[in-house]
Amino acid sequence: MNRRIKKYLDEIDKTERKITELQAYLKGIRSALKQEEDNEIIKSIRSKKYSSQELLKILTGIQDGTIGLDKNGDIQRKESPVKEGRKNEEMEKNF
């Protein structure tokens, strides 16, 4: 086999191994980042000292999209899209 072809094939194999290693490394970094973000969320919520029932309501609201958290970790109630649609309809009727 031509030496140049062999050299290119070797370089391709070496590069593919590096890519595989870097993808695994990146996956680990992303996992660590997600864990740190989760820890920060838990820390923020625990600092508010909610009762078990309040915490359950908050978490349920976050999951169904009726509650969000601002940058400071404070709770922000969101209106459901159905309510917002009704408000817009009422405003249009008034004009």
Side-chain angles (χ1 to χ4, degrees):
M1 184 183 293
N2 185 332
R3 274 198 248 161
R4 288 183 185 171
I5 292 174
K6 175 132 176 56
K7 181 180 173 184
Y8 288 132
L9 290 173
D10 290 343
E11 190 65 29
I12 288 170
D13 287 341
K14 181 180 171 183
T15 303
E16 287 175 343
R17 282 193 304 272
K18 282 183 183 179
I19 289 170
T20 301
E21 290 172 7
L22 288 172
Q23 285 175 334
Y25 178 72
L26 180 59
K27 184 178 180 181
I29 291 173
R30 285 184 174 151
S31 177
L33 173 62
K34 183 176 181 339
Q35 184 64 45
E36 284 301 316
E37 290 172 341
D38 291 348
N39 289 342
E40 192 67 28
I41 291 168
I42 291 168
K43 181 177 154 185
S44 176
I45 290 174
R46 283 188 177 160
S47 72
K48 302 296 181 185
K49 310 251 188 238
Y50 294 116
S51 71
S52 296
Q53 290 179 347
E54 289 172 322
L55 184 57
L56 180 60
K57 287 179 185 179
I58 291 167
L59 294 175
T60 302
I62 290 171
Q63 288 177 341
D64 66 20
T66 58
I67 293 178
L69 298 175
D70 65 13
K71 292 178 183 178
N72 298 323
D74 295 325
I75 295 173
Q76 300 293 318
R77 297 209 178 268
K78 298 179 181 178
E79 293 199 32
S80 70
V82 174
K83 288 182 181 178
E84 288 178 6
R86 288 181 186 154
K87 276 187 177 181
N88 289 340
E89 290 173 9
E90 290 174 12
M91 288 176 62
E92 289 175 5
K93 287 180 186 177
N94 292 333
F95 287 111

